[in-house]
Amino acid sequence: NAGVTQTPKFRVLKTGQSMTLLCAQDMNHEYMYWYRQDPGMGLRLIHYSVGEGTTAKGEVPDGYNVSRLKKQNFLLGLESAAPSQTSVYFCASRLLTSSGRAIGTQYFGPGTRLLVL
Amino acid sequence: SQQGEEDPQALSIQEGENATMNCSYKTSINNLQWYRQNSGRGLVHLILIRSNEREKHSGRLRVTLDTSKKSSSLLITASRAADTASYFCATGLNSGGSNYKLTFGKGTLLTVNP
């Protein structure tokens, strides 16, 4: 049981380049989230998904797109990277019980460090 | 805008001492959670307290919640060097159906000196 994994661990991009960050979870969780963490800012929610095929915007969605084609994977895309997107990106997942009750705890991946030059 | 605000921003103590961190928030919540983040790692869930609870314990951790003051505290007793990490409070709110999100504070950096 690997939990939540993220690839890559570190990436350097030039302004205008594109890339996709992959998040995978093997806990059969319904909910998945993408956050960014910047110094002194805590975690801010970018996008989230409440199930396969669904996505929604979070607090800071501009410049990012997401897809949830499979329940276990949540992809975060940067179409045209900007220096302001230099950050550490965390994926998280959360369980929805069979009774439809959401459990509050989120399980986080180890993070992806992204540097945009 | 940030929902939770931790205080202090940084705390340095000696091993064996107790560490207390506080969190204040602005709006009604369903629950409040505390997470720990070791340097360069992801966040790890420590404890969740529901809005109808006032105190909760887990090992050396004690969390209190005062909904009238919109504040929470995390107490770590008998601290160890391994407790050195950043600690975040996160407020959870169900704003209808599946629209459940956590809002994180900026964190308290705890340093426990051996």
Side-chain angles (χ1 to χ4, degrees):
Chain A
N1 191 330
V4 180
T5 58
Q6 293 182 234
T7 53
K9 287 185 171 56
F10 177 69
R11 183 77 182 269
V12 178
L13 288 180
K14 295 181 180 179
T15 297
Q17 287 185 318
S18 64
M19 78 163 293
T20 300
L21 284 69
L22 171 64
C23 174
Q25 52 95 3
D26 60 1
M27 297 175 285
N28 202 35
H29 285 177
E30 288 290 338
Y31 293 74
M32 296 186 75
Y33 307 82
W34 275 108
Y35 295 91
R36 60 178 288 173
Q37 185 178 34
D38 302 293
M41 293 294 292
L43 273 77
R44 292 183 290 170
L45 182 63
I46 305 172
H47 285 280
Y48 64 102
S49 169
V50 301
E52 183 178 323
T54 72
T55 63
K57 294 180 180 180
E59 183 184 354
V60 288
D62 294 342
Y64 305 95
N65 57 76
V66 288
S67 64
R68 184 99 180 267
L69 298 179
K70 293 182 179 180
K71 185 177 183 178
Q72 63 267 35
N73 294 338
F74 194 27
L75 278 64
L76 178 70
L78 284 73
E79 294 174 344
S80 179
S84 62
Q85 294 177 304
T86 293
S87 188
V88 181
Y89 292 86
F90 288 98
C91 176
S93 69
R94 189 165 68 91
L95 177 67
L96 180 70
T97 66
S98 57
S99 63
R101 180 169 169 265
I103 306 297
T105 303
Q106 290 189 13
Y107 294 82
F108 282 82
T112 294
R113 290 187 177 275
L114 177 64
L115 175 61
V116 183
L117 302 175
Chain B
S1 62
Q2 295 292 125
Q3 166 74 314
E5 292 288 340
E6 292 91 345
D7 171 64
Q9 290 185 346
L11 179 62
S12 181
I13 60 174
Q14 295 299 120
E15 211 165 22
E17 294 181 338
N18 296 340
T20 300
M21 289 159 271
N22 303 296
C23 172
S24 59
Y25 58 93
K26 297 177 182 176
T27 63
S28 296
I29 59 173
N30 289 102
N31 63 73
L32 187 144
Q33 303 177 38
W34 286 90
Y35 287 80
R36 183 187 74 211
Q37 183 180 35
N38 290 87
S39 180
R41 301 290 188 92
L43 278 73
V44 174
H45 179 260
L46 293 176
I47 196 165
L48 180 153
I49 186 165
R50 303 187 192 285
S51 59
N52 61 353
E53 296 176 315
R54 292 297 167 258
E55 187 171 315
K56 206 161 185 181
H57 296 255
S58 177
R60 294 185 294 112
L61 305 181
R62 172 177 170 256
V63 169
T64 62
L65 179 64
D66 186 336
T67 54
S68 66
K69 295 181 179 178
K70 293 186 169 57
S71 67
S72 173
S73 67
L74 170 67
L75 168 67
I76 303 174
T77 59
S79 64
R80 305 166 182 168
D83 294 328
T84 294
S86 291
Y87 292 81
F88 294 87
C89 71
T91 51
L93 177 64
N94 275 336
S95 52
S98 59
N99 191 21
Y100 175 92
K101 293 186 285 287
L102 284 180
T103 305
F104 287 84
K106 296 179 182 180
T108 292
L109 175 60
L110 172 66
T111 302
V112 182
N113 300 301

